[in-house]
Amino acid sequence: MSLARLIGGFVRRHWHAYVSSAFMLAGVAICTVLIPRKVGALIDGLAAHRLDQHALLLGLAQLLGLGVAIYVLRVGWRIRLYSAAYNLGVELRTRLYARLAAQGPAFYQRQRTGDLMALATNDIDAIEMAAGEAMLAGFDGTLTLVMVLGIMTLGVDARLAAIALLPFPLMAFAFWRISAHIHTAEGDALKRFSALNDHVQESLSGVRTLRALGLEARSAAQFSELTGKAADASLSAQRWEAAYEPAVGLTLTAATGLTLGLGGYLVWNQELTVGALTSFSMYLGQLIWPMFAAGWVLSLVERGRAGLARLQPLLNMPLTVEDKGTLEHIGRGTLALHDVSFAYRDAERPALDGVSVRLEPGQTLGLVGPTGAGKSTLLRVLLRQATPQRGTVSWAGHPLDSYRLEALRAAMSWVPQESFLFSSTIAENIALARPGASRAEIEEAAKMASIHDDILRFPYGYDTPVGEKGITLSGGQRQRVAIARALLADSALLLLDDALSAVDTGTETRILEHLDELRAARPERAAIIASHRLSAVAGADRIVVLRDGRITESGTHDELLQLDGWYASQWRYQQLEASIDAA
C-alpha cells in the first residue's frame, strides 16, 4: 500500500475532522489575503487625504479583527486536525502490536527488538506527520497560493503577476531534485536510528553481563560509533531539507526584484498607484508561506514514505503459525503425536525425527535426554509455536490445528526454563492468567510452588515489585513464581520445560509432591515435564528419552533402569553426584 492510499483511506474515515479543518483554513486564507488589500486601500486613502480619524481607526480595527480571526481559526484547525492525525498513529501502532503478538518464535529469531521499537516510534511518527502536518501544510499552502495569485492577477495587476512568476519553474525543479535526495537520506537515517536503538536495548538488558566481562568500554565505543553514524545520516537529511529555504529565498528575491523594477516603472508612468504596488509587494511576501509549505510537505511526505517502506513489510509478513482453526473448546481426550518430524531452517539435522507418543488425561509424561535432544521443540510443537513438516498431532480426537490458537493455549499452562516476569508486583505476576483471582487463591498457588515463604520475607510481601524481567528475584524464585502462575491458571495440560533447573533438590521434591496432590484433586489434568534432572520425572507415568530428535527409550522409571541404557547411566551418575554434594 502506498502512502497516498494509506492516508487517503484514513481521511475518508475521519472526513469530519478534515472537512472542518479545511473550512477553518479557508477562513484563515481569506482573512490573510484581505489584509494587504485593506492596507493598500488605507495607504491610498492617506496619500489622497480622503481618510479622517474615524475612518482610519475603523480601518485599523478591521485589521485587528482580521488578526484575531486568524488566531482563533488557526487554533481551531490545529486541534481538529492534529487530534485526527494522532488517531492514525494509534491505529498503526495497534496494528503493529496485534501483528507482533500473533507472530511465533520463528519470527522473533529473525527480528531485533530495537528495530521493532524503532518502527513503533520513529517510523510511525513519520507517517503520522505526513497525515497531519503534511496534509495541513499542503492544503493551507495550496489554498493560500491560489487565492494570493488570483488577487495579484485579477485584483492588482496581471503584468506584475506574470513577471513575478518567471523564476518559479526553476524553484519547482530544485524542489524535485531535493525531495529525491531527502527520500534516500531519510530512509538511511531511520535505519541508523534502528541500529542504535537495538544496541541500546541489548546493552541495557545485558548490563550485568557487560560489567562482569569488563566490556563497558567496548560497548561505549560501539554506542559512540552508532550514534555518530545516526547523527551523520540525520544531518545529511537535514542538509537536504535546509536546501529548500535557499531555493525559496532566491526565487522570491528574483521575483521581488522583477516586481519592483516593473512596478516602479508603472508608478512613474502613473499606470499604478503606490498603494497598489504596496499591496502587491505584501501579496508577494505572502507567497513565502506557500513556497515553504511546499518544501515542508515534500520533506514530510518523503519521510513518511521512508517510514512506511520499513513498516509495511512487517505488517504484511505472513504469520509464522496460521490460526485457521474453528473449534473453541477442547474436550477431555488423548493427546497424541504420530510420526512427528520438525527441522529448523538451515539446520543440518531435524530437531524431531519420527516422534510418536501418547498422553492420556490425568497422566504425567517425562521428557529427558541430552542437551539439544528436542525436548523443548516437542513442547513448542504442542503449543503450536512450531508446525511440524511431517506427522500429525491431535488432542481429544481433533488435529491440533483445528483448534483456535486462543482456545488451545488457554488449555495449556507453560513454564519455560527462562521464566519471564513483568515489571509489576509478585501477586500481579502470579495472577497474570487469572487477573480476577483472590489473594487467597494466589497464596495457595504460591504455596504449591514453594515460593510462599520466600515472598513473606520480602519488604512488601506479595505487593513487592519484581523489577524489569524479575531482576530483583533469584533464578529459582523467578521459576517458582512462574510455576505458581501456571498452577493458578488451572489448565487441562501443564508443560514444564526444565522449569525446576534453578531450584535445589529439596524444593524440587516439595513442588513435585504438591503437583501430585493437585493431580489427585483433579485427576483429569495431564502434565509433561521436560528436565535434565531425572529426579524430576521419576514419578511420571511414562518417561521418554530423546536423543538427536528420536525416541531411543520409553517406559516407567523402573523399566528404564532395567534397560541399562542412557537413562540408567544418567540416573546413576546424578545419584552419585547428589551423594557427593550431600557429603
mmCIF file of all heavy atoms in Angstrom, residues 92-104 107-108 312-320 322:
data_model
loop_
_atom_site.group_PDB
_atom_site.id
_atom_site.type_symbol
_atom_site.label_atom_id
_atom_site.label_comp_id
_atom_site.label_asym_id
_atom_site.label_seq_id
_atom_site.Cartn_x
_atom_site.Cartn_y
_atom_site.Cartn_z
ATOM 1 N N LEU A 92 -1.988 2.561 13.567
ATOM 2 C CA LEU A 92 -0.817 1.842 13.074
ATOM 3 C C LEU A 92 -0.110 1.095 14.194
ATOM 4 O O LEU A 92 0.330 -0.051 14.007
ATOM 5 C CB LEU A 92 0.149 2.816 12.402
ATOM 6 C CG LEU A 92 -0.293 3.376 11.046
ATOM 7 C CD1 LEU A 92 0.695 4.421 10.551
ATOM 8 C CD2 LEU A 92 -0.445 2.259 10.023
ATOM 9 N N ARG A 93 0.013 1.726 15.364
ATOM 10 C CA ARG A 93 0.672 1.048 16.487
ATOM 11 C C ARG A 93 -0.164 -0.132 16.967
ATOM 12 O O ARG A 93 0.372 -1.163 17.374
ATOM 13 C CB ARG A 93 0.929 2.042 17.621
ATOM 14 C CG ARG A 93 2.032 3.033 17.296
ATOM 15 C CD ARG A 93 2.386 3.916 18.482
ATOM 16 N NE ARG A 93 3.514 4.767 18.147
ATOM 17 C CZ ARG A 93 3.419 5.994 17.648
ATOM 18 N NH1 ARG A 93 2.214 6.514 17.438
ATOM 19 N NH2 ARG A 93 4.488 6.693 17.356
ATOM 20 N N THR A 94 -1.489 0.013 16.925
ATOM 21 C CA THR A 94 -2.364 -1.092 17.314
ATOM 22 C C THR A 94 -2.220 -2.254 16.333
ATOM 23 O O THR A 94 -2.133 -3.419 16.732
ATOM 24 C CB THR A 94 -3.830 -0.630 17.366
ATOM 25 O OG1 THR A 94 -3.952 0.453 18.303
ATOM 26 C CG2 THR A 94 -4.744 -1.758 17.807
ATOM 27 N N ARG A 95 -2.184 -1.939 15.030
ATOM 28 C CA ARG A 95 -1.988 -2.982 14.015
ATOM 29 C C ARG A 95 -0.638 -3.657 14.184
ATOM 30 O O ARG A 95 -0.529 -4.888 14.093
ATOM 31 C CB ARG A 95 -2.091 -2.374 12.616
ATOM 32 C CG ARG A 95 -3.509 -2.050 12.144
ATOM 33 C CD ARG A 95 -3.472 -1.462 10.747
ATOM 34 N NE ARG A 95 -2.814 -2.370 9.802
ATOM 35 C CZ ARG A 95 -2.439 -2.006 8.574
ATOM 36 N NH1 ARG A 95 -2.652 -0.763 8.160
ATOM 37 N NH2 ARG A 95 -1.865 -2.882 7.775
ATOM 38 N N LEU A 96 0.385 -2.847 14.432
ATOM 39 C CA LEU A 96 1.722 -3.411 14.596
ATOM 40 C C LEU A 96 1.779 -4.304 15.823
ATOM 41 O O LEU A 96 2.329 -5.418 15.764
ATOM 42 C CB LEU A 96 2.746 -2.279 14.719
ATOM 43 C CG LEU A 96 4.198 -2.709 14.970
ATOM 44 C CD1 LEU A 96 4.705 -3.575 13.827
ATOM 45 C CD2 LEU A 96 5.092 -1.486 15.163
ATOM 46 N N TYR A 97 1.196 -3.852 16.934
ATOM 47 C CA TYR A 97 1.208 -4.661 18.159
ATOM 48 C C TYR A 97 0.446 -5.963 17.956
ATOM 49 O O TYR A 97 0.904 -7.038 18.373
ATOM 50 C CB TYR A 97 0.603 -3.875 19.310
ATOM 51 C CG TYR A 97 0.560 -4.652 20.606
ATOM 52 C CD1 TYR A 97 1.679 -4.749 21.424
ATOM 53 C CD2 TYR A 97 -0.597 -5.312 21.003
ATOM 54 C CE1 TYR A 97 1.657 -5.471 22.601
ATOM 55 C CE2 TYR A 97 -0.641 -6.044 22.173
ATOM 56 C CZ TYR A 97 0.495 -6.114 22.975
ATOM 57 O OH TYR A 97 0.465 -6.850 24.139
ATOM 58 N N ALA A 98 -0.726 -5.875 17.307
ATOM 59 C CA ALA A 98 -1.519 -7.091 17.065
ATOM 60 C C ALA A 98 -0.750 -8.071 16.184
ATOM 61 O O ALA A 98 -0.792 -9.290 16.398
ATOM 62 C CB ALA A 98 -2.848 -6.721 16.414
ATOM 63 N N ARG A 99 -0.031 -7.537 15.193
ATOM 64 C CA ARG A 99 0.739 -8.426 14.300
ATOM 65 C C ARG A 99 1.897 -9.064 15.056
ATOM 66 O O ARG A 99 2.172 -10.262 14.891
ATOM 67 C CB ARG A 99 1.282 -7.607 13.130
ATOM 68 C CG ARG A 99 1.711 -8.454 11.931
ATOM 69 C CD ARG A 99 0.513 -9.146 11.332
ATOM 70 N NE ARG A 99 0.877 -9.938 10.152
ATOM 71 C CZ ARG A 99 0.020 -10.699 9.496
ATOM 72 N NH1 ARG A 99 -1.238 -10.776 9.901
ATOM 73 N NH2 ARG A 99 0.403 -11.388 8.451
ATOM 74 N N LEU A 100 2.576 -8.282 15.875
ATOM 75 C CA LEU A 100 3.697 -8.825 16.640
ATOM 76 C C LEU A 100 3.215 -9.863 17.652
ATOM 77 O O LEU A 100 3.881 -10.880 17.877
ATOM 78 C CB LEU A 100 4.434 -7.689 17.359
ATOM 79 C CG LEU A 100 5.154 -6.674 16.468
ATOM 80 C CD1 LEU A 100 5.793 -5.592 17.326
ATOM 81 C CD2 LEU A 100 6.194 -7.350 15.596
ATOM 82 N N ALA A 101 2.054 -9.596 18.265
ATOM 83 C CA ALA A 101 1.527 -10.540 19.255
ATOM 84 C C ALA A 101 1.123 -11.862 18.611
ATOM 85 O O ALA A 101 1.154 -12.911 19.260
ATOM 86 C CB ALA A 101 0.336 -9.917 19.982
ATOM 87 N N ALA A 102 0.734 -11.813 17.329
ATOM 88 C CA ALA A 102 0.296 -13.036 16.644
ATOM 89 C C ALA A 102 1.455 -13.836 16.058
ATOM 90 O O ALA A 102 1.276 -14.998 15.705
ATOM 91 C CB ALA A 102 -0.688 -12.679 15.527
ATOM 92 N N GLN A 103 2.628 -13.229 15.953
ATOM 93 C CA GLN A 103 3.768 -13.937 15.379
ATOM 94 C C GLN A 103 4.339 -14.945 16.371
ATOM 95 O O GLN A 103 4.275 -14.756 17.582
ATOM 96 C CB GLN A 103 4.869 -12.944 14.968
ATOM 97 C CG GLN A 103 4.509 -12.068 13.779
ATOM 98 C CD GLN A 103 4.523 -12.829 12.466
ATOM 99 O OE1 GLN A 103 4.682 -14.052 12.427
ATOM 100 N NE2 GLN A 103 4.350 -12.113 11.366
ATOM 101 N N GLY A 104 4.927 -15.997 15.828
ATOM 102 C CA GLY A 104 5.523 -17.037 16.651
ATOM 103 C C GLY A 104 6.999 -16.799 16.900
ATOM 104 O O GLY A 104 7.584 -15.833 16.400
ATOM 105 N N PHE A 107 9.560 -15.914 14.085
ATOM 106 C CA PHE A 107 9.628 -14.527 13.631
ATOM 107 C C PHE A 107 10.645 -13.742 14.447
ATOM 108 O O PHE A 107 11.471 -13.000 13.897
ATOM 109 C CB PHE A 107 8.230 -13.901 13.740
ATOM 110 C CG PHE A 107 8.205 -12.407 13.565
ATOM 111 C CD1 PHE A 107 8.170 -11.842 12.308
ATOM 112 C CD2 PHE A 107 8.216 -11.565 14.670
ATOM 113 C CE1 PHE A 107 8.148 -10.461 12.145
ATOM 114 C CE2 PHE A 107 8.192 -10.199 14.528
ATOM 115 C CZ PHE A 107 8.157 -9.643 13.259
ATOM 116 N N TYR A 108 10.600 -13.913 15.760
ATOM 117 C CA TYR A 108 11.483 -13.133 16.638
ATOM 118 C C TYR A 108 12.928 -13.616 16.578
ATOM 119 O O TYR A 108 13.833 -12.886 16.997
ATOM 120 C CB TYR A 108 10.958 -13.170 18.064
ATOM 121 C CG TYR A 108 9.659 -12.420 18.209
ATOM 122 C CD1 TYR A 108 8.446 -13.095 18.200
ATOM 123 C CD2 TYR A 108 9.653 -11.046 18.308
ATOM 124 C CE1 TYR A 108 7.249 -12.406 18.305
ATOM 125 C CE2 TYR A 108 8.457 -10.343 18.411
ATOM 126 C CZ TYR A 108 7.262 -11.025 18.412
ATOM 127 O OH TYR A 108 6.087 -10.338 18.497
ATOM 128 N N GLN A 312 5.612 -1.370 6.273
ATOM 129 C CA GLN A 312 4.666 -2.177 5.502
ATOM 130 C C GLN A 312 5.073 -3.646 5.376
ATOM 131 O O GLN A 312 4.229 -4.541 5.553
ATOM 132 C CB GLN A 312 4.478 -1.565 4.113
ATOM 133 C CG GLN A 312 3.281 -2.104 3.350
ATOM 134 C CD GLN A 312 1.962 -1.686 3.981
ATOM 135 O OE1 GLN A 312 1.758 -0.529 4.283
ATOM 136 N NE2 GLN A 312 1.073 -2.637 4.202
ATOM 137 N N PRO A 313 6.349 -3.953 5.089
ATOM 138 C CA PRO A 313 6.717 -5.381 5.005
ATOM 139 C C PRO A 313 6.452 -6.150 6.294
ATOM 140 O O PRO A 313 6.080 -7.331 6.247
ATOM 141 C CB PRO A 313 8.222 -5.338 4.695
ATOM 142 C CG PRO A 313 8.435 -4.014 4.065
ATOM 143 C CD PRO A 313 7.474 -3.087 4.739
ATOM 144 N N LEU A 314 6.610 -5.486 7.421
ATOM 145 C CA LEU A 314 6.359 -6.155 8.695
ATOM 146 C C LEU A 314 4.871 -6.420 8.888
ATOM 147 O O LEU A 314 4.475 -7.495 9.352
ATOM 148 C CB LEU A 314 6.894 -5.307 9.850
ATOM 149 C CG LEU A 314 6.971 -5.994 11.205
ATOM 150 C CD1 LEU A 314 7.992 -7.121 11.172
ATOM 151 C CD2 LEU A 314 7.334 -4.996 12.286
ATOM 152 N N LEU A 315 4.025 -5.445 8.515
ATOM 153 C CA LEU A 315 2.583 -5.633 8.649
ATOM 154 C C LEU A 315 2.061 -6.693 7.681
ATOM 155 O O LEU A 315 1.078 -7.373 7.971
ATOM 156 C CB LEU A 315 1.858 -4.305 8.408
ATOM 157 C CG LEU A 315 2.106 -3.194 9.432
ATOM 158 C CD1 LEU A 315 1.396 -1.912 9.008
ATOM 159 C CD2 LEU A 315 1.648 -3.608 10.818
ATOM 160 N N ASN A 316 2.715 -6.816 6.526
ATOM 161 C CA ASN A 316 2.271 -7.786 5.515
ATOM 162 C C ASN A 316 2.948 -9.144 5.646
ATOM 163 O O ASN A 316 2.610 -10.075 4.927
ATOM 164 C CB ASN A 316 2.545 -7.244 4.109
ATOM 165 C CG ASN A 316 1.692 -6.030 3.784
ATOM 166 O OD1 ASN A 316 0.634 -5.826 4.381
ATOM 167 N ND2 ASN A 316 2.153 -5.212 2.865
ATOM 168 N N MET A 317 3.919 -9.250 6.555
ATOM 169 C CA MET A 317 4.646 -10.514 6.699
ATOM 170 C C MET A 317 3.694 -11.608 7.170
ATOM 171 O O MET A 317 2.951 -11.417 8.131
ATOM 172 C CB MET A 317 5.793 -10.334 7.700
ATOM 173 C CG MET A 317 6.741 -11.522 7.763
ATOM 174 S SD MET A 317 8.130 -11.195 8.882
ATOM 175 C CE MET A 317 8.962 -9.881 7.971
ATOM 176 N N PRO A 318 3.669 -12.747 6.501
ATOM 177 C CA PRO A 318 2.759 -13.822 6.922
ATOM 178 C C PRO A 318 3.099 -14.321 8.315
ATOM 179 O O PRO A 318 4.260 -14.272 8.745
ATOM 180 C CB PRO A 318 2.982 -14.908 5.865
ATOM 181 C CG PRO A 318 4.325 -14.611 5.271
ATOM 182 C CD PRO A 318 4.491 -13.132 5.337
ATOM 183 N N LEU A 319 2.088 -14.784 9.019
ATOM 184 C CA LEU A 319 2.289 -15.302 10.360
ATOM 185 C C LEU A 319 3.076 -16.602 10.301
ATOM 186 O O LEU A 319 2.882 -17.426 9.402
ATOM 187 C CB LEU A 319 0.939 -15.547 11.043
ATOM 188 C CG LEU A 319 0.066 -14.315 11.289
ATOM 189 C CD1 LEU A 319 -1.263 -14.726 11.907
ATOM 190 C CD2 LEU A 319 0.769 -13.306 12.182
ATOM 191 N N THR A 320 3.999 -16.766 11.233
ATOM 192 C CA THR A 320 4.790 -17.998 11.270
ATOM 193 C C THR A 320 3.920 -19.193 11.635
ATOM 194 O O THR A 320 4.252 -20.329 11.291
ATOM 195 C CB THR A 320 5.937 -17.860 12.269
ATOM 196 O OG1 THR A 320 5.409 -17.474 13.548
ATOM 197 C CG2 THR A 320 6.930 -16.798 11.812
ATOM 198 N N GLU A 322 -0.190 -20.070 11.339
ATOM 199 C CA GLU A 322 -1.509 -19.603 10.926
ATOM 200 C C GLU A 322 -2.580 -20.070 11.905
ATOM 201 O O GLU A 322 -2.560 -21.210 12.373
ATOM 202 C CB GLU A 322 -1.838 -20.134 9.525
ATOM 203 C CG GLU A 322 -0.989 -19.529 8.421
ATOM 204 C CD GLU A 322 -1.310 -18.075 8.161
ATOM 205 O OE1 GLU A 322 -2.408 -17.640 8.582
ATOM 206 O OE2 GLU A 322 -0.483 -17.384 7.561
#
